[in-house]
């Protein structure tokens, strides 16, 4: 059974930084497309950062230049370094592992963005950014 756990959320003032961590355990059967979504209450999940199995990252426009996604394959972990945080970044952040090849593992791919019913998901970690 696959277990995905996000940690590192919390409260921070605008302009501050946080680093989210995601550990993945269990047989993921090649789910090397690893990324992050976020969700506000009453809204759908927004894909914000993803890295394919060649460690190529792509980002949503809303976070590009401020957030950095990275992986540690030895630890089976994926990270999201968030800097220059803004109040509109406040959300629940989710990690996901998907069985997608490099041609489908990027922000904007309908196979990644549109299928939040697929893959291995964690329970999320909450981020609050105060003005």
């Amino acid at each position: 059974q696959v277990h995905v756990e996000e940690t590192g959320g919390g409260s921070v003032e605008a302009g501050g930084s946080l680093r989210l961590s995601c550990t993945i355990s269990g047989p993921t059967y090649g789910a090397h497309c690893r990324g992050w979504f976020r969700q506000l209450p009453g809204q759908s999940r927004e894909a914000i950062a993803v890295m394919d199995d060649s460690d190529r990252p792509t980002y949503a426009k809303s976070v590009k230049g401020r957030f950095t996604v990275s992986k540690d394959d030895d630890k089976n972990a994926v990270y999201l370094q968030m800097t220059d945080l803004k109040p509109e970044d406040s959300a629940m952040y989710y990690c996901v592992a998907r069985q997608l090849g490099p041609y489908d593992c990027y922000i904007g791919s309908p196979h990644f963005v549109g299928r939040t019913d697929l893959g291995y998901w964690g329970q999320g970690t909450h981020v609050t950014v105060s003005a």
Side-chain angles (χ1 to χ4, degrees):
Q1 185 173 354
V2 175
H3 182 70
V4 179
E5 183 175 9
E6 304 95 337
T7 57
S11 297
V12 65
E13 293 184 349
S17 301
L18 281 174
R19 185 177 187 243
L20 305 183
S21 298
C22 172
T23 55
I24 303 168
S25 59
T28 56
Y29 301 108
H32 299 303
C33 177
R34 308 282 172 91
W36 294 89
F37 282 69
R38 66 186 181 188
Q39 185 174 25
L40 290 169
Q43 297 187 18
S44 58
R45 293 185 181 184
E46 174 194 11
I48 57 170
V50 62
M51 180 170 277
D52 68 15
D53 58 357
S54 295
D55 291 349
R56 288 174 296 204
T58 54
Y59 301 93
K61 289 181 181 179
S62 58
V63 306
K64 193 172 185 178
R66 301 187 298 122
F67 291 12
T68 303
V69 61
S70 60
K71 292 192 296 179
D72 186 333
D73 291 333
D74 290 339
K75 296 182 179 179
N76 212 8
V78 59
Y79 308 99
L80 186 68
Q81 179 67 47
M82 306 186 293
T83 62
D84 190 22
L85 283 161
K86 304 175 181 181
E88 52 264 40
D89 294 319
S90 298
M92 185 71 80
Y93 284 72
Y94 296 91
C95 172
V96 62
R98 290 285 311 277
Q99 292 169 327
L100 291 172
Y103 294 108
D104 294 315
C105 181
Y106 63 94
I107 294 291
S109 164
H111 299 286
F112 180 74
V113 173
R115 295 307 304 269
T116 56
D117 57 319
L118 298 178
Y120 305 103
W121 293 83
Q123 294 300 306
T125 186
H126 200 262
V127 172
T128 301
V129 184
S130 58

